[in-house]
Amino acid sequence: MASDPFCIGEHCTLDDCQTLDFLPVLCSFCQKVFCKTHYSPNIHDCKCIPEPTVKTTVASAPSKPCSICNHVDIVNVICEECTKVFCMLHRTLEQHSCPSVEAKKSKPREIAPVVSTAKGTQLKRKGAKSLALERKVMLMKMKNKSSGPSSIPQSERIYLNVTAEGGKQCYYHCSNLWSVGRSVDAISDHMGLKNNNDQAGADQLVMEYQGEVLVMGDKLCDTTQSGDTVNLKYVPPS
């Protein structure tokens, strides 16, 4: 073997060959390495083959013919993928056109689900980490552009992405001490939404989160958190 530690394979020891073979074969008789062409003892004229005695064979079990060319080698190579027997010439997956290679090539690629957004249709495939990062970026954007009372301490603020009928949208921060009802009043006043919640028989302006209408008397911090998207909509009086 070459002294270079990064050299892969060995040169055929046959003087007339010296071919570098990446999978050399060791002759079981003379203990020399040969390429795939000269590994057979008969081909490299091995001088160490013992004289056969009556009713004995060199190998304890006969080799099987190659599944491609029917050539019988002294060494059987069984493919771990298709479990067929091959000679040294057809031992690799590509050389015997292993079905496993074709199966991997023809396997359809996983297509990310199509998600419709306000900016058009996009292909998205998000894991937990990417969703968390997206939420963090959105929250930073909310903090920079949010409206709301400046008197609310930073530590008490809940930043919301608010949408409403007519395509209206804003970033607004409420106090975590506010109820849902007080938050609706403050946001509707900022967005210029009609709010007749104090009038009997009028449509009520409510806050919806993930398709569920929030109870007006509940604390906002118990039902939402910073970074959430809520929707203000009108519902008939109950």
Side-chain angles (χ1 to χ4, degrees):
M1 180 180 293
S3 59
D4 186 355
F6 297 101
C7 181
I8 301 175
E10 293 191 43
H11 290 276
C12 178
T13 54
L14 192 68
D15 294 336
D16 296 336
C17 181
Q18 296 294 315
T19 299
L20 177 63
D21 196 307
F22 295 108
L23 290 174
V25 180
L26 179 69
C27 177
S28 59
F29 300 116
C30 63
Q31 299 299 306
K32 295 180 180 180
V33 294
F34 297 92
C35 65
K36 63 184 179 182
T37 303
H38 302 112
Y39 72 90
S40 175
N42 293 329
I43 293 179
H44 68 257
D45 193 21
C46 185
K47 305 299 183 182
C48 299
I49 300 177
E51 291 294 332
T53 57
V54 180
K55 294 184 180 181
T56 62
T57 57
V58 173
S60 59
S63 298
K64 296 181 180 180
C66 173
S67 299
I68 297 293
C69 63
N70 289 324
H71 176 69
V72 179
D73 270 340
I74 193 172
V75 177
N76 284 144
V77 178
I78 301 177
C79 176
E80 294 182 355
E81 298 291 338
C82 62
T83 68
K84 293 182 179 180
V85 177
F86 299 98
C87 64
M88 296 300 295
L89 183 63
H90 297 109
R91 64 185 182 271
T92 67
L93 300 178
E94 291 77 11
Q95 287 169 336
H96 67 259
S97 300
C98 188
S100 64
V101 176
E102 298 301 322
K104 292 177 181 178
K105 290 181 180 180
S106 60
K107 184 179 180 180
R109 296 177 59 188
E110 185 179 11
I111 300 176
V114 177
V115 179
S116 295
T117 66
K119 295 183 179 180
T121 301
Q122 302 177 357
L123 289 178
K124 291 188 177 181
R125 185 186 176 194
K126 300 178 180 178
K129 290 186 178 179
S130 62
L131 288 174
L133 178 60
E134 182 181 284
R135 184 181 181 90
K136 184 176 181 180
V137 172
M138 176 62 73
L139 183 56
M140 292 175 61
K141 185 177 180 181
M142 289 182 183
K143 290 181 178 181
N144 291 331
K145 296 185 177 182
S146 72
S147 303
S150 59
S151 59
I152 300 176
Q154 292 283 344
S155 59
E156 292 182 6
R157 294 182 181 183
I158 296 180
Y159 295 88
L160 298 175
N161 176 31
V162 185
T163 61
E165 295 180 359
K168 294 184 177 182
Q169 183 270 339
C170 76
Y171 299 132
Y172 196 89
H173 61 261
C174 304
S175 170
N176 58 14
L177 302 177
W178 289 0
S179 66
V180 173
R182 182 175 178 182
S183 301
V184 170
D185 291 341
I187 296 173
S188 62
D189 183 63
H190 170 73
M191 299 181 72
L193 299 175
K194 186 178 180 180
N195 186 350
N196 295 325
N197 288 355
D198 58 344
Q199 298 179 18
D203 287 346
Q204 300 294 296
L205 183 63
V206 299
M207 181 180 289
E208 183 182 57
Y209 174 61
Q210 294 185 343
E212 181 179 350
V213 175
L214 303 182
V215 178
M216 289 294 198
D218 288 350
K219 291 184 65 173
L220 185 66
C221 63
D222 292 336
T223 54
T224 62
Q225 60 181 334
S226 288
D228 285 343
T229 297
V230 297
N231 181 53
L232 297 187
K233 71 174 185 178
Y234 296 98
V235 297
S238 55

